[in-house]
Amino acid sequence: MATSIRIRAKAKGDEVTVKSLITHPMETGQRKDKKTGDKIPAHYITEVKCEHNGKTVVTAQWGPAVSKNPYLSYKFAGGKAGDAVKLTWVDNKGKSDSAEAKIK
Amino acid sequence: MQRRSFLKGTLASSALAVAAGAGLLNPRQVLAAWPESAFTSKSTNDAMGSLFGTADNTPSNKIKVKAPDIAENGAVVPVSVTTPLSATAIAIIAETNGTPLAANFELAGSAKGFVSTRIKMRKTSDVIAVVKSGGKLYTARKNVKVTIGGCGG
C-alpha cells in the first residue's frame, strides 16, 4: 500500500512547500450504489500527520467532506534541501499508510 | 449457570465484532483524538464550538480564502487558506453541507499560515476559513457557486 501517497517538497530560501496527493475513495456513507440501491459504507481518512525530520508540523483532521483522492499542501519554515518530510494517514477503518520524501 | 455465562460471553464478543464491523472502533489510539462531535455537528456554530471550545469569532481581512467563484463539480472544490496571523489551527467549513466541518489543520510552531486542499460541497454556499491565533478565532468567507452537488447521489 505504500503507493497510495505522492509527496513532493521544495525549499525556497527558508520556506518549504510540501504538496501531496493520497489515493483514497473518501466515501461519505451517503452515496448509494446505483445498481442495488444500498448505501456505500463510509470510508474516509480521519487523520493525516505531516512531519519534518521526525517533528510534527501539521496534523490534519478530516471529515468525509474532503474530496476523493485528497490533495494537501502546506508550508513551513526552517527546512532545507535534503531534509526528510513524512506523511502518515489513518482512515476510519483503521487502515493507514505513510511515505517519506526528501526536500528538493 | 454455566450455560448462562457461556451465553453472556458469546453475546459480548459478538457485540464487539459488530462494533468493529461498523467502524465504531476507530484507530483513535494510533494518532491523537479525532474530534468526532465536531465532524458530526449539523451547524457551523456547533462545529466550531465543539472543535475549538467556542464559536465566538471575529471576521478578519487578514485571512485569504482562495476558492473558485463557480465550481462546476461540487465533489472537487479546491480551497486554499492563507494568513499572516500566527495560526495554531486552520479549519475549513462548507456552510450548507450536512455536516459543515470539512477539515481542521493543527499547525505546529514552524508551520506557516497556509493550507490547501480539496473539499466536497453539497450546494452553493460560503466556504468559511476559521483561523485560531493567540487563543482567538478569526474567520473569513468566500462564496462558491456549485452547479453539481458533491455529496451523495
Side-chain angles (χ1 to χ4, degrees):
Chain A
M1 285 260 301
T3 52
S4 77
I5 303 168
R6 281 172 60 197
I7 181 165
R8 200 167 285 175
K10 210 164 190 180
K12 197 177 177 187
D14 185 44
E15 191 177 276
V16 179
T17 306
V18 183
K19 291 177 181 174
S20 49
L21 267 174
I22 306 167
T23 307
H24 198 281
M26 295 301 284
E27 222 28 273
T28 59
Q30 294 175 47
R31 248 157 42 95
K32 280 181 182 157
D33 189 310
K34 277 187 182 127
K35 280 179 200 147
T36 60
D38 293 337
K39 276 197 175 176
I40 303 167
H43 186 198
Y44 55 91
I45 294 174
T46 52
E47 293 215 358
V48 184
K49 193 166 75 169
C50 308
E51 289 163 291
H52 164 233
N53 281 352
K55 238 176 93 184
T56 304
V57 179
V58 174
T59 313
Q61 295 149 350
W62 284 353
V66 171
S67 298
K68 180 181 172 180
N69 297 337
Y71 167 78
L72 168 65
S73 173
Y74 63 95
K75 290 177 185 174
F76 66 92
K80 58 181 188 304
D83 287 1
V85 283
K86 192 179 169 192
L87 186 147
T88 309
W89 60 256
V90 176
D91 69 20
N92 67 330
K93 289 188 178 174
K95 284 187 188 146
S96 71
D97 197 4
S98 71
E100 208 176 275
K102 292 252 182 290
I103 297 173
K104 275 181 190 162
Chain B
M1 194 59 195
Q2 255 182 358
R3 184 173 166 265
R4 183 166 295 170
S5 62
F6 170 74
L7 277 176
K8 249 187 201 163
T10 48
L11 213 70
S13 62
S14 67
L16 202 71
V18 167
L24 292 173
L25 293 177
N26 277 337
R28 303 266 160 70
Q29 302 87 344
V30 184
L31 295 172
W34 186 67
E36 188 181 354
S37 60
F39 279 105
T40 49
S41 293
K42 304 273 184 233
S43 82
T44 304
N45 275 352
D46 286 355
M48 263 200 252
S50 64
L51 187 63
F52 296 116
T54 172
D56 289 340
N57 66 81
T58 321
S60 167
N61 56 12
K62 283 189 176 157
I63 304 166
K64 231 180 105 193
V65 185
K66 202 177 142 202
D69 293 325
I70 298 172
E72 276 183 24
N73 183 358
V76 187
V77 182
V79 178
S80 300
V81 180
T82 315
T83 178
L85 300 168
S86 64
T88 52
I90 297 176
I92 297 173
I93 294 173
E95 205 170 25
T96 53
N97 274 3
T99 49
L101 182 63
N104 177 42
F105 301 87
E106 281 173 4
L107 309 178
S110 60
K112 297 263 181 187
F114 167 82
V115 286
S116 176
T117 189
R118 298 193 291 224
I119 63 166
K120 299 171 197 163
M121 290 177 70
R122 188 168 65 176
K123 57 185 181 193
T124 300
S125 85
D126 279 1
V127 171
I128 307 170
V130 186
V131 172
K132 189 180 180 187
S133 174
K136 283 192 176 148
L137 300 183
Y138 300 93
T139 51
R141 291 163 175 269
K142 165 91 173 71
N143 189 264
V144 177
K145 203 173 164 195
V146 176
T147 31
I148 306 169
C151 289

